[in-house]
């Protein structure tokens, strides 16, 4: 159980930083009893979120998302490939999530982080479940050619709520995506039309001159919450996640349908009231994220 | 109107369950669990001395290895390992044997829907067989959402793929058969009604998810009775 009185006495003699390292749970609980967190946020508020589109100039679509200190860079590269025989008029998307050693002191080179394949799989499941992307839009010539979109997300700084930032950067990258113009050459193969030829006479008609952007329906937005005793903390930092282990990730789409309710175990049980509270917090967050995404997109249009 | 399922079951009828303990002789504990055609084998080795590098040495550590039926280990297997590890960590008493590692190896024998659910149930039975001290059992159930908005339980693989969405839910098993008066209640709900784990696929409305939770809870009480009876009968007299 520890020595509650001893730590109480020590806290008056010890510096705040030392108390934070030695008795992390007590430090947080002192804050929670005043309904505030160490970074002065109220329990239900997420950190400041920013989005920047077009961060990677050589990619066909890219975005940099920051939630507090957690930073994610997403980039999309498109390639033409032959569609499978079961779905001849659908393209496909391959999502990969990387955690290079720069993001956290726990990740070492050569040994991939445990969280990386899990978040990668969660992202692919969420994006395909939500139906945000209609794969038929990625088709070029039915049965012969379709687009394969490689989405790579790099975590540059891992400070909690990795899935939220990764999903936001993926959605922003797809909104920013410009599908390259292609044309059918004499051999019947699809080739890319380079931008400089526009002035000269084009020998072949481009196959997809009009359709350059994807239509995104029902965009998913997520919020991770931590359950600790009776408290629900929205958008945890890495320190909070390591001390209080029960995390719940709720993904809602723009029409408030539940895309995913993800609670992978953890010592605290989630009762119906906790489920409803988490969903309510996520609904608020969806509105905030929608505003941020719309502002960033309209900012790009003006440019 | 509730339509017929392919194998003629009613919406809340589970597939035939069978659980066998002590199936492997070298492992400290083992169990095989099958629901219909889905069959999973789980083995427990431990506690062994020492913990892995990044784990807290003041607590016991749980390690899960998931072996698929065919193919290489990929992201799907890593995700299952993580979910299983966190679920089992919440039911084991981790403070009893600090600085030890208990390994649970899950081998998929056949996958016909509700695979993760089967694996969680098999792992719990294997932990009991090994004698690892647990706070309570974890009872896993899969609820599927059909077109009409009603909930069906324990889908086969075909049903999982056809349906709009499904949820894997894990509830704690109650320690006593009849809840005494004044048992631990959290905001008017008994402890058994909280969820340990929830993984959903597909889109559903929030009310439909809450309906799944209710149906899942009702089914889990039946399932936990069955578990208690079948596991108790195999104890030595």
């Amino acid at each position: 159980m520890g020595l509650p009185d001893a730590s109480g006495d020590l806290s008056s003699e010890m510096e705040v930083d030392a108390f934070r390292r030695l008795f992390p749970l007590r430090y947080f609980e002192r804050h929670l009893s005043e309904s505030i967190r160490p970074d002065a946020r109220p329990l239900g508020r997420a950190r400041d979120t920013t989005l920047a589109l077009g961060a990677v100039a050589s990619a066909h679509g890219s975005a940099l998302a920051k939630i507090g200190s957690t930073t994610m860079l997403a980039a999309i590269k498109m390639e033409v490939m032959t569609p499978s025989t079961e779905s001849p008029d659908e393209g496909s998307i391959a999502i990969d999530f990387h955690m290079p050693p720069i993001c956290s002191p726990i990740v070492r080179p050569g040994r991939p982080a445990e969280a990386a394949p899990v978040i990668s799989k969660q992202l692919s499941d969420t994006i395909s479940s939500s139906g945000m992307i209609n794969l038929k839009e990625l088709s070029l010539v039915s049965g012969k050619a379709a687009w394969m979109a490689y989405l790579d997300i790099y975590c540059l700084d891992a400070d909690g709520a990795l899935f939220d930032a990764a999903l936001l950067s993926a959605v922003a990258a797809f909104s920013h995506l410009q599908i390259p113009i292609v044309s059918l050459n004499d051999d019947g193969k699809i080739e890319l039309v380079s931008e400089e030829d526009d002035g000269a006479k084009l020998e072949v008609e481009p196959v997809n001159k009009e359709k350059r952007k994807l239509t995104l329906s029902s965009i998913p937005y997520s919020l991770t919450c931590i359950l600790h005793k009776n408290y629900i903390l929205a958008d945890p930092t890495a320190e909070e996640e390591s001390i209080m282990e029960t995390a719940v990730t709720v993904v809602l789409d723009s029409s408030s349908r539940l895309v995913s309710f993800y609670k992978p175990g953890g010592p605290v049980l989630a009762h119906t009231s906790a489920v409803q509270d988490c969903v309510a917090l996520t609904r608020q967050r969806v509105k905030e994220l929608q505003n941020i995404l719309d502002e960033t997109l309209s900012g790009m249009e003006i440019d | 109107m509730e339509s017929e399922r392919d194998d003629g079951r009613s919406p809340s009828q589970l597939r035939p369950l069978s659980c066998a303990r002590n199936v492997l002789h070298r492992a400290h504990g083992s169990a095989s669990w099958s629901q219909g055609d889905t069959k999973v084998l789980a083995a427990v080795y431990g506690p062994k001395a020492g913990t892995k590098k990044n784990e807290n040495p003041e607590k016991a550590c749980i390690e899960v290895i998931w072996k698929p039926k065919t193919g290489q280990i990929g992201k799907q297997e890593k995700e299952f390992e993580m979910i299983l590890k966190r679920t089992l960590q919440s039911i084991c008493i981790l403070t009893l044997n600090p600085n030890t590692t208990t390994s649970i190896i899950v081998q998929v024998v056949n996958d016909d829907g509700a695979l993760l659910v089967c694996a969680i149930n098999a792992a719990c039975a294997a932990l009991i067989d090994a004698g690892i001290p647990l706070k309570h059992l974890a009872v896993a159930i899969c609820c599927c959402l059909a077109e009409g908005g009603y909930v069906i339980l324990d889908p086969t693989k075909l049903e999982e793929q056809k349906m709009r969405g499904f949820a894997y839910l894990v509830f704690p098993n109650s320690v006593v058969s009849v809840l005494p008066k004044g048992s631990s209640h959290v905001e008017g709900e008994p402890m058994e009604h909280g969820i340990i784990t929830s993984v959903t696929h597909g889109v559903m409305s929030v009310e439909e998810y809450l309906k799944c939770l209710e149906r899942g809870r009702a089914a889990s009480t039946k399932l936990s009775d069955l578990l208690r009876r079948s596991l108790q009968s195999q104890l030595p007299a």
Side-chain angles (χ1 to χ4, degrees), chain B residues 39-88:
Chain B
K39 185 161 176 199
V40 174
L41 197 59
V44 171
Y45 289 88
K48 293 179 284 191
T51 50
K52 285 199 330 209
K53 214 166 141 188
N54 285 331
E55 303 278 350
N56 183 4
E58 288 178 27
K59 289 195 183 163
C61 164
I62 302 221
E63 179 194 23
V64 178
I65 300 171
W66 181 287
K67 292 283 187 195
K69 181 180 176 187
T70 53
Q72 286 192 328
I73 296 191
K75 299 181 202 162
Q76 168 89 293
E77 285 73 39
K78 293 283 179 197
E79 191 194 12
F80 283 158
E81 283 178 6
M82 195 269 291
I83 297 175
L84 210 59
K85 173 181 165 164
R86 290 220 178 158
T87 307
L88 296 175

Side-chain angles (χ1 to χ4, degrees), chain B residues 81-157:
Chain B
E81 283 178 6
M82 195 269 291
I83 297 175
L84 210 59
K85 173 181 165 164
R86 290 220 178 158
T87 307
L88 296 175
Q89 262 177 342
S90 70
I91 64 170
C92 290
I93 306 180
L94 295 174
T95 45
L96 266 185
N97 294 316
N99 204 19
T100 60
T101 305
T102 304
S103 306
I104 296 148
I105 296 109
V106 174
Q107 171 70 59
V108 176
V109 176
N110 193 27
D111 179 12
D112 187 31
L115 183 61
L116 187 59
V117 160
C118 220
I120 294 176
N121 290 330
C124 281
L127 283 173
I128 294 176
D129 193 43
I132 308 280
L134 303 173
K135 289 182 213 163
H136 47 70
L137 284 182
V139 179
I141 194 103
C142 178
C143 302
C144 209
L145 207 63
E147 290 306 320
Y150 60 92
V151 178
I152 61 176
L153 296 177
D154 201 15
T156 61
K157 205 173 182 87

Side-chain angles (χ1 to χ4, degrees), chain A residues 21 55 65 71 129 237-238 276 292 300:
Chain A
R21 295 274 187 272
T71 312
S129 287
T237 60
Q276 286 167 332
I292 294 175
M300 284 291 297

Side-chain angles (χ1 to χ4, degrees), chain A residues 146-184:
Chain A
W147 285 117
M148 170 76 135
Y150 290 102
L151 170 66
D152 287 291
I153 305 182
Y154 288 86
C155 179
L156 300 176
D157 196 343
D159 192 24
L162 298 181
F163 178 74
D164 298 347
L167 185 62
L168 187 62
S169 68
V171 163
F174 274 115
S175 323
H176 177 248
L177 180 66
Q178 285 268 19
I179 303 182
I181 312 181
V182 288
S183 56
L184 201 56

Side-chain angles (χ1 to χ4, degrees), chain B residues 22-31 42-46 48 103 105 129-130:
Chain B
N22 206 11
V23 288
L24 300 171
H25 300 293
R26 294 298 301 271
H28 297 152
S30 60
V44 171
Y45 289 88
K48 293 179 284 191
S103 306
I105 296 109
D129 193 43

Side-chain angles (χ1 to χ4, degrees), chain A residues 70-73 97-104 153-159 162:
Chain A
T70 304
T71 312
M72 296 281 168
L73 178 64
F97 178 78
H98 308 261
M99 283 184 71
I102 196 176
C103 70
S104 156
I153 305 182
Y154 288 86
C155 179
L156 300 176
D157 196 343
D159 192 24
L162 298 181

